[in-house]
Amino acid sequence: MLTAALLAVLPALSALAGPFLPGEILVDECNGNNIQRYSATGTLLHAGFSPRAARQGWPCRVATVEGFSNVATRRRGSSHHPWAEAHGYHQASQWDAAHGRLISHAPKERLRSARLASAELSTAWSHAHFVTTQPLHLAHLDYSILQQCMHCGMCLPTCPTYDETKLERNSPRGRIALMRGIADGQFGVTRAFGEEMYFCLGCLACETACPAGVDYARMFEEARADIEHAGVLQNGRRDFVRAFTLRFVFARPLVLRALGRVLRWYQASGAEWLVRRLRLTALLPRDLRELEPLTPRVQREFSDALIGGVESPDAQQHRVGMLTGCVQDLVYPHVNRDTVDVLLANGCEVVTPGAQHCCGSLHAHNGDLQLAREMARRNIDAFELNEVEAIITNAAGCGSHLKKYGELLADDPRYAARAKVWSAKLKDIHEWLVEIGITPPAPEGGAPAPQPAVTYHEACHLCHGQKITRAPRQVLERVPGLRLVEMAEATWCCGSAGIYNITQPEMSQKLLARKLANIAQTGAGVVASANPGCNVQLEAGARARGLALEIVHPVTLLARAYLKEQSAI
């Protein structure tokens, strides 16, 4: 269903969209900063991004269109009383477009809410901003996905938010009931629904526990897309942060790297130390002040400087593509270097395109499926898929999303076939190494040197999203002298969950404290973790508590073993 928005605008802005001619049938969809125009048959005529239009109020002109369930008609009225009429399934509303007053209301449409701001209009045509809360994504989702949940409750004890609050709405079962109710038209997308879906970690522990195979990840992303489409959580600050981070910084790798270098200078020059020493962070708003310690340490060199475009082993057996990521590229580029070294040691020629784009998981998980699809197209274009056996990722959260490119672009006629091939070839590094057989590092002369005990934290989107649990342990078992100590609740979320530690800091910190307590019980000095978000979270928690913990990727431990082998030769 189409969610259209009409907000009274200055007459001069109407020039942005051109004259509205009698008999012209168009639908303009205004969703935050997205401007999309459709024809009467539903064909997308134009899509664009305009911060100015979003900020000032684009004159979204809407006419009755067959095939759309929620549209508005504007009719010529007198110069004193121009009016607009909204039609749909269960109710109809007629508005005084000049003064924003409701003239009549009848239970004909399932339109949940409507709002029209007053404006001085210079013509008889109304230019207004109409807000609806009808679902666009959930309503068009394959209904069998929504029906999978059989309400058994086996997911409840695995859900971190339900475990904390014991409230049904904070459980997977409760959230699925809400999503299904919205898809069924029992109620619309509301602010309360939006807040609930963003309270969800998206850890997918419920999928692992579910005996019915519920595809919670799909529903979760579609629900968040509806929330953003309806705009029920919109406010100036939130909109700015989303536009700046998701649509500007993480959509442009050169911008991301430029900001990374600025942050690197701030951290390495002593400016950060001075700001903290003088307690200037106290001048920040409370939420930003609490987030400042989470700032990751940006490295001096990024992946492009550490990894060649093509690197070949002495005895090549495989050819793979390497994904360097965005956060991984800036904060943990050495993990990418270690990954390439491990692949070379296992007979793989590695192709690594430069200046790679974000995988799009941040966008998909935060309701911007359109931009997530664009990120997917850019990444697919960066690789010659027929020239590599596999595409390798070493970031759990990214990998879970990258494997769904085939599903994400299934309706794209240009990319659907290539996206399907991409998904089939996308491999987590641990998964790939086990598949081809890990070359064991040569043991040191005599007994292996004792190493600190290592415990393994299972990143949610590796164990729950990709169902990979044994392979990382097999990688660790190949490291000579390594002693693996299992921790309690290894699969329990650490509270990072993408940007959850930013949007829900209180719950995030509770989960972090629980994870660190479980780590402490193992007595291990090293924590192996295969996701950059988890590593940033755990490192920040260890620093804040003065804990001497090394947070390291499993592949890095294997790479160190290969390096020792080479040094001994």
Side-chain angles (χ1 to χ4, degrees):
M1 304 173 192
L2 180 67
T3 301
L6 305 173
L7 181 60
V9 296
L10 298 174
L13 285 177
S14 64
L16 293 172
F20 183 76
L21 301 176
E24 183 182 12
I25 306 297
L26 294 170
V27 173
D28 283 5
E29 176 185 352
C30 296
N31 170 23
N33 293 334
N34 298 311
I35 311 300
Q36 296 178 327
R37 173 164 293 181
Y38 296 84
S39 71
T41 60
T43 302
L44 179 65
L45 301 178
H46 171 73
F49 169 64
S50 173
R52 180 186 173 207
R55 183 170 63 251
Q56 297 184 9
W58 188 278
C60 295
R61 300 162 316 185
V62 184
T64 302
V65 178
E66 183 177 358
F68 286 103
S69 61
N70 196 5
V71 298
T73 64
R74 293 183 308 165
R75 301 181 180 178
R76 187 180 299 278
S78 69
S79 59
H80 299 291
H81 297 288
W83 56 281
E85 187 175 19
H87 293 287
Y89 285 140
H90 302 163
Q91 78 180 23
S93 303
Q94 192 175 96
W95 297 81
D96 180 335
H99 302 96
R101 292 191 301 237
L102 182 66
I103 299 173
S104 66
H105 180 76
K108 179 185 175 184
E109 230 278 338
R110 88 176 174 201
L111 188 65
R112 298 303 303 173
S113 65
R115 162 170 72 83
L116 196 64
S118 62
E120 294 294 349
L121 301 177
S122 60
T123 68
W125 290 104
S126 62
H127 292 275
H129 203 63
F130 185 78
V131 177
T132 110
T133 57
Q134 290 304 301
L136 176 68
H137 297 271
L138 287 172
H140 290 86
L141 184 63
D142 183 344
Y143 199 71
S144 65
I145 296 176
L146 293 161
Q147 286 181 311
Q148 284 178 300
C149 178
M150 56 187 185
H151 318 295
C152 67
M154 292 186 68
C155 60
L156 301 186
T158 71
C159 175
T161 53
Y162 178 79
D163 183 75
E164 179 66 30
T165 68
K166 298 299 188 292
L167 296 175
E168 178 71 14
R169 70 170 182 268
N170 298 151
S171 72
R173 183 174 65 183
R175 290 173 180 131
I176 291 172
L178 290 173
M179 288 186 274
R180 184 169 175 177
I182 287 174
D184 288 342
Q186 297 177 13
F187 40 84
V189 180
T190 64
R191 181 176 183 84
F193 175 72
E195 291 173 346
E196 180 54 51
M197 292 311 301
Y198 275 97
F199 186 58
C200 174
L201 289 147
C203 68
L204 307 184
C206 52
E207 287 196 355
T208 299
C210 181
V214 166
D215 189 355
Y216 185 84
R218 180 72 181 278
M219 290 185 282
F220 170 78
E221 290 184 354
E222 299 288 346
R224 284 195 172 180
D226 270 336
I227 291 161
E228 299 307 323
H229 193 270
V232 292
L233 297 181
Q234 284 185 349
N235 61 60
R237 179 178 176 181
R238 183 179 188 272
D239 294 348
F240 170 78
V241 170
R242 285 178 60 85
F244 181 72
T245 56
L246 296 181
R247 303 195 66 84
F248 182 64
V249 175
F250 282 95
R252 295 167 173 82
L254 295 181
V255 172
L256 179 62
R257 287 165 176 76
L259 287 178
R261 296 196 185 282
V262 172
L263 184 55
R264 166 68 183 177
W265 174 87
Y266 171 73
Q267 294 172 341
S269 67
E272 180 186 55
W273 175 86
L274 184 61
V275 166
R276 291 177 175 177
R277 180 76 173 179
L278 298 177
R279 299 184 179 180
L280 297 181
T281 55
L283 300 177
L284 295 172
R286 179 180 176 182
D287 53 352
L288 293 180
R289 186 169 65 250
E290 293 175 348
L291 289 173
E292 193 270 342
L294 286 174
T295 307
R297 315 309 296 175
V298 177
Q299 301 305 304
R300 183 170 62 87
E301 292 183 313
F302 302 154
S303 300
D304 288 354
L306 300 177
I307 303 171
V310 179
E311 297 193 19
S312 302
D314 294 333
Q316 180 181 334
Q317 301 175 11
H318 309 279
R319 194 168 198 261
V320 300
M322 173 68 190
L323 288 162
T324 55
C326 48
V327 174
Q328 191 87 299
D329 180 37
L330 271 61
V331 182
Y332 303 108
H334 60 279
V335 174
N336 288 331
R337 178 66 256 177
D338 291 339
T339 303
V340 172
D341 288 341
V342 167
L343 288 167
L344 293 171
N346 284 271
C348 298
E349 182 177 68
V350 185
V351 180
T352 310
Q356 295 181 24
H357 287 82
C358 172
C359 68
S361 63
L362 282 175
H363 306 88
H365 297 164
N366 287 278
D368 197 339
L369 293 176
Q370 179 181 344
L371 193 50
R373 292 186 179 97
E374 181 56 31
M375 294 295 101
R377 296 183 188 102
R378 294 177 188 178
N379 280 310
I380 291 173
D381 287 340
F383 290 88
E384 294 294 337
L385 297 180
N386 61 335
E387 296 182 3
V388 295
E389 293 177 53
I391 305 292
I392 305 300
T393 178
N394 55 22
C398 299
S400 182
H401 176 74
L402 288 160
K403 287 183 175 181
K404 294 184 178 179
Y405 276 7
E407 177 184 294
L408 191 66
L409 297 176
D411 297 326
D412 188 319
R414 289 184 56 200
Y415 283 86
R418 280 197 288 165
K420 187 175 181 180
V421 173
W422 171 283
S423 292
K425 291 191 173 186
L426 202 288
K427 300 289 183 180
D428 173 75
I429 178 62
H430 311 93
E431 176 185 28
W432 173 250
L433 290 173
V434 170
E435 182 176 321
I436 64 174
I438 304 172
T439 300
E444 301 177 38
Q451 299 186 26
V454 177
T455 190
Y456 176 56
H457 159 66
E458 300 205 46
C460 295
H461 282 80
L462 192 58
C463 65
H464 301 309
Q466 301 182 61
K467 304 297 185 287
I468 297 174
T469 60
R470 178 63 186 141
R473 291 175 168 84
Q474 289 176 280
V475 169
L476 293 173
E477 289 168 358
R478 287 293 188 175
V479 179
L482 185 144
R483 182 167 63 92
L484 180 62
V485 181
E486 293 289 353
M487 78 165 81
E489 300 181 332
T491 62
W492 201 261
C493 184
C494 68
S496 173
I499 59 172
Y500 192 87
N501 52 5
I502 298 174
T503 60
Q504 302 284 346
E506 182 179 355
M507 179 60 72
S508 173
Q509 286 300 309
K510 289 180 179 179
L511 295 172
L512 175 59
R514 181 168 177 164
K515 177 62 66 173
L516 290 173
N518 285 325
I519 292 172
Q521 290 179 2
T522 67
V526 178
V527 180
S529 170
N531 189 56
C534 299
N535 294 0
V536 169
Q537 174 88 336
L538 294 172
E539 287 174 355
R543 283 197 306 269
R545 293 162 176 80
L547 302 176
L549 285 178
E550 181 186 12
I551 314 299
V552 62
H553 197 290
V555 165
T556 293
L557 294 173
L558 183 58
R560 290 175 184 174
Y562 286 133
L563 183 60
K564 288 182 180 179
E565 175 186 349
Q566 294 174 359
S567 300
I569 297 176

